[in-house]
Amino acid sequence: MTSRDQEIQRRTELSVTRVTKAVFPNTTNHHNTLFGGTALAWMDEVSFIAATRFCRLPLVTVSTDRIDFKHPIPAGSIVELVGTVIKVGNTSLQVQVDVFVENMYLDGRERAIHGVFSFVAIDEDKRPVPVLPGS
């Protein structure tokens, strides 16, 4: 394993981001389930935090890969969003976000949403810069 690979592994472990939320009525749609736009906003935020923790640089979201909504998330649920860096390029990185749902009053949870977000690190002139020092 190269020193770059070791540094990526170290930073990846340190940057895993977990956010837990309750699904209240103000975040639901007409089906009384979590509104997809709210879920996407939460996922983008968690992915941004994980990416920022990884490189500690200004970042912009440049794309989202496929977002899979496996099943609806009912009002009154607890959700945990987990963001993990999965790919590191020169000036870019990708963060996978998994959204897990659990009933407030029963044990167990399952993955309800999965997606990947891509970021580019930028300087003060909005030009791409390396995500790792010395790259």
Side-chain angles (χ1 to χ4, degrees), residues 14-66:
L14 292 172
S15 65
V16 172
T17 300
R18 297 175 179 274
V19 173
T20 305
K21 294 187 172 279
V23 180
F24 291 121
N26 67 324
T27 60
T28 62
N29 58 27
H30 60 290
H31 298 292
N32 205 30
T33 59
L34 181 63
F35 177 61
T38 300
L40 289 171
W42 290 353
M43 292 172 76
D44 189 30
E45 181 178 2
V46 166
S47 64
F48 172 79
I49 293 168
T52 300
R53 292 168 111 182
F54 181 90
C55 65
R56 302 294 179 175
L57 294 167
L59 296 161
V60 291
T61 307
V62 294
S63 71
T64 59
D65 289 350
R66 181 180 171 134

Side-chain angles (χ1 to χ4, degrees), residues 48-130:
F48 172 79
I49 293 168
T52 300
R53 292 168 111 182
F54 181 90
C55 65
R56 302 294 179 175
L57 294 167
L59 296 161
V60 291
T61 307
V62 294
S63 71
T64 59
D65 289 350
R66 181 180 171 134
I67 306 292
D68 292 317
F69 292 83
K70 300 291 186 186
H71 61 81
I73 298 174
S77 298
I78 296 169
V79 295
E80 182 180 24
L81 299 99
V82 182
T84 308
V85 173
I86 59 167
K87 184 176 179 186
V88 179
N90 182 33
T91 61
S92 65
L93 49 88
Q94 289 184 326
V95 178
Q96 173 180 298
V97 179
D98 291 308
V99 181
F100 296 93
V101 59
E102 60 187 271
N103 183 298
M104 285 191 187
Y105 309 110
L106 299 172
D107 287 336
R109 71 181 196 160
E110 59 185 321
R111 187 171 76 173
I113 308 172
H114 169 83
V116 176
F117 295 74
S118 297
F119 295 88
V120 169
I122 56 171
D123 64 14
E124 58 278 348
D125 296 320
K126 311 291 188 252
R127 289 187 301 236
V129 296

